[in-house]
Amino acid sequence: MTVVGPFGLSVRDQALEADVQAGLAAVEEGLLEATKSDVPFITDAAQHLVRAGGKRFRPLLVMLAAQFGDPYAPGIVPSAVVVELTHLATLYHDDVMDEAEVRRGVESANARWGNSLAVLTGDFLFARASHTLADLGPEAVRIQAEAFERLVTGQILETAGPRDGRDPVEHYLDVIAGKTGSLIAVAGRFGAMMSGADEATVDILTQYGERLGTAFQLADDVLDIASDSAESGKTPGTDLREGVPTLPVLHLRALAASDAATEEDRALAALLDQDLTDDARHAEALAGLRAHAALRQARRDTIRYAEEARATLAPLPDCAAKAALQELCDAVVHRAG
C-alpha cells in the first residue's frame, strides 16, 4: 500500500498504483517542458512554483478518472498538464492580489521579482496551457474556456463582495464553486473524456470534482482556524489575520446578527472586525473561534459537500479507482477534523 498524491491517499491496488505513479511522473515532465522558454529568465520564473512542488491534486484526479476508460489514451497526460498549468497561473495572480510573501514554502514570485513580472509570468503559463490545449480538440478548448470564465467570475465576486440583500454564506459558496470547484471539475471531466469513457461517466466525474473541490476549500477554511502549523503547513489564523472572511467567520457573523445571538457571539464578532494584525488580539480571536459553534458548523458543511461528492460516485462500477475516489472524500473530511 503506497501513499500517492495529496493527503496521503493510499492506493491499495498495485496496477492502479503503477498507472497513477507513471501518470503523475509524466505530468511532472510535461510541466517542466511546458514552462521552458528560449529566455532563461522566463524559464526560471515560470518553473518557480513547478519546482516548489505541491499536492498535484488536479492531475491525480485526472489519472483516477481516466481509469473508467482507457487510462493510456494519449490525451490524458496533456490534459492533466493543462489543468495544473492553469492552477499554477492563478497562484501567481493570487499572490499579487493577496500581497503574499511565501507560496509552497518558497519566496513568492511577486516577492522575488515584483508584481508586474509575477502577473506576466502567470499570463505566460496561461498561454502555454492554451498551446497544449489546442492539440486536444475544440471540445476541450470550450470546456477549459468555460471553466476559466467561472474561475475568474468567482475571483471577481470575492473581490466585489455580496450584493445588498444577498446571504454572505450563499455568496461565499458560489465564490468557492467558481474559484476552486470549476477547475477540479474539469480535472474529473478531462480524465474521463480523454479516456473515452461514456457520457454518463464523464458527467458523474465532473459533478464529483465540483463537489469535492468545494469540500477541499472549506476544509482549508476549517484548518486555518483549527489546526496548528505542523498539521497545516502554514501559520494558524493566516486568513483571520488578513481579514479574509472564510466560512467559520461568516457563520459567526450570521449568528451574531440574529435574534438567537448571545453577548459572547456579538463580542467575538466585534473582535473579528478589529485589526487582527495585533498578536494578542489575533490570539484571542483564534481561541474564540476554535471554541465556537461556527467552526463546528463549517465542519458540518465540509462533510456535507464531501458526502455529496461520494454519493455522485454510486452509479459507477465498483473498482480500485472508485475506491480511491471515495478515499479522497474521506481524506478531505479528515483534514477538517
Side-chain angles (χ1 to χ4, degrees):
M1 184 170 66
T2 301
V3 173
V4 176
F7 328 130
L9 173 67
S10 300
V11 175
R12 294 174 170 80
D13 180 273
Q14 289 187 345
L16 175 59
E17 177 193 323
D19 283 349
V20 170
Q21 294 282 20
L24 291 176
V27 169
E28 287 302 309
E29 293 179 9
L31 288 171
L32 291 173
E33 186 61 33
T35 49
K36 286 181 181 176
S37 168
D38 293 336
V39 180
F41 172 77
I42 295 177
T43 301
D44 188 28
Q47 292 185 350
H48 182 63
L49 288 185
V50 174
R51 295 188 181 280
K55 299 181 183 71
R56 302 295 189 252
F57 179 45
R58 292 153 189 83
L60 173 65
L61 184 51
V62 174
M63 298 304 144
L64 291 174
Q67 293 291 320
F68 294 91
D70 175 8
Y72 312 111
I76 292 167
V77 169
S79 70
V81 170
V82 165
V83 173
E84 189 67 7
L85 280 176
T86 303
H87 172 58
L88 288 169
T90 66
L91 297 185
Y92 281 81
H93 289 180
D94 283 351
D95 285 348
V96 171
M97 294 181 67
D98 298 341
E99 299 179 351
E101 296 184 358
V102 176
R103 167 69 72 173
R104 295 181 172 176
V106 299
E107 188 179 24
S108 66
N110 48 297
R112 183 169 182 177
W113 293 295
N115 286 346
S116 294
L117 285 172
V119 169
L120 290 170
T121 302
D123 293 344
F124 176 80
L125 294 181
F126 283 131
R128 285 301 176 89
S130 298
H131 187 274
T132 302
L133 188 65
D135 293 332
L136 299 177
E139 177 69 3
V141 172
R142 182 186 65 78
I143 290 167
Q144 176 77 353
E146 289 175 351
F148 190 53
E149 179 183 346
R150 287 188 61 205
L151 193 157
V152 174
T153 299
Q155 184 67 68
I156 292 171
L157 287 174
E158 181 180 55
T159 304
R163 65 179 183 272
D164 290 344
R166 180 84 196 278
D167 179 359
V169 171
E170 289 184 4
H171 171 84
Y172 181 71
L173 292 173
D174 282 347
V175 166
I176 295 307
K179 281 187 61 181
T180 307
S182 61
L183 196 58
I184 294 176
V186 167
R189 187 170 185 175
F190 274 173
M193 187 176 84
M194 296 299 168
S195 74
D198 62 72
E199 193 171 324
T201 299
V202 173
D203 185 55
I204 286 169
L205 290 165
T206 302
Q207 292 181 46
Y208 167 85
E210 176 99 15
R211 287 163 175 78
L212 188 68
T214 298
F216 174 72
Q217 182 57 56
L218 296 183
D220 268 3
D221 287 1
V222 171
L223 275 173
D224 185 62
I225 302 299
S227 72
D228 57 34
S229 56
E231 179 184 358
S232 66
K234 66 177 185 179
T235 304
T238 298
D239 291 333
L240 195 63
R241 187 183 294 275
E242 294 174 355
V244 177
T246 58
L247 192 62
V249 171
L250 292 173
H251 278 316
L252 170 65
R253 287 175 176 167
L255 178 58
S258 73
D259 294 338
T262 65
E263 285 302 316
E264 289 78 8
D265 297 332
R266 296 189 184 97
L268 182 55
L271 175 61
L272 296 185
D273 289 332
Q274 298 181 41
D275 179 7
L276 297 183
T277 58
D278 175 80
D279 287 343
R281 201 177 292 136
H282 176 264
E284 182 184 355
L286 192 60
L289 272 174
R290 284 174 171 171
H292 199 274
L295 182 62
R296 296 192 290 276
Q297 179 60 53
R299 280 198 177 101
R300 288 194 293 271
D301 291 335
T302 304
I303 292 168
R304 174 167 58 87
Y305 276 98
E307 288 304 313
E308 287 178 4
R310 175 193 288 274
T312 64
L313 299 172
L316 296 179
D318 291 333
C319 61
K322 181 178 178 179
L325 292 171
Q326 290 170 331
E327 187 169 332
L328 274 179
C329 299
D330 297 336
V332 167
V333 169
H334 177 71
R335 290 174 75 233

